[in-house]
Amino acid sequence: MTHFRFSDAARLLGVSDDTVRRWVRVGQLEAGEDAAGRKVVDGAELAAFARRQAVKSSEEDRTAESADPTEIGRSARNRFVGLVTEVVADGVMAQVEVQCGPHRVVSLMSAEAVRELGLKPGELAVTVVKATQVIVETPRGDR
């Protein structure tokens, strides 16, 4: 399962590192340690938390923007980095929800694409919005 350091979780949620630490300290967000002893948040836990936060009215500053991990130049300007929060798939088609800071992006795609990309709650993804289409990308560094 994917794990995120506090600074990465903060960028994905559009808040400060201190906010993530506070959420962990007060028990709103669960955290653990990686093999090196660094504090991390499980990707699926972070995705569930992001989804819960998105439905609340925000009291936090959400001005920080997550950097696009793909480092690929594209003509599409509407690119949103976020966490996969839900995948609903049948035999042929799938619906993928990605929480990008305060924005929820939903994409319909083939179930085959979901499998090939390894999309599941807690995974990092980049959504590319062009006209009425949403394209989901994942960084290839871990695969």
Side-chain angles (χ1 to χ4, degrees):
M1 177 51 78
T2 303
H3 290 88
F4 294 93
R5 294 178 70 177
F6 283 10
S7 59
D8 296 325
R11 274 193 301 281
L12 288 166
L13 296 173
V15 298
S16 69
D17 297 10
D18 289 336
T19 297
V20 171
R21 285 188 204 90
R22 180 175 49 80
W23 285 334
V24 169
R25 188 175 57 249
V26 299
Q28 290 182 297
L29 181 62
E30 290 184 37
E33 291 185 354
D34 64 10
R38 296 177 296 219
K39 293 283 192 180
V40 294
V41 179
D42 174 75
E45 164 68 16
L46 188 60
F49 180 80
R51 192 170 200 174
R52 290 190 306 269
Q53 287 296 104
V55 298
K56 295 179 182 177
S57 61
S58 175
E59 296 176 9
E60 302 294 333
D61 178 16
R62 296 185 181 262
T63 59
E65 187 174 317
S66 296
D68 184 341
T70 60
E71 298 180 7
I72 297 171
R74 289 215 170 51
S75 62
R77 296 294 179 238
N78 299 320
R79 300 170 61 81
F80 306 99
V81 179
L83 289 167
V84 176
T85 57
E86 185 173 20
V87 176
V88 179
D90 62 18
V92 177
M93 293 302 295
Q95 176 179 308
V96 177
E97 292 186 17
V98 182
Q99 192 66 44
C100 305
H103 308 288
R104 176 179 162 258
V105 180
V106 179
S107 177
L108 301 177
M109 65 183 73
S110 70
E112 178 182 24
V114 168
R115 288 188 299 275
E116 288 177 0
L117 291 171
L119 296 174
K120 58 184 177 265
E123 292 296 320
L124 179 66
V126 178
T127 61
V128 180
V129 180
K130 186 72 173 176
T132 60
Q133 299 179 16
V134 176
I135 301 165
V136 178
E137 301 172 338
T138 57
R140 288 289 180 190
D142 299 331
R143 301 190 200 300

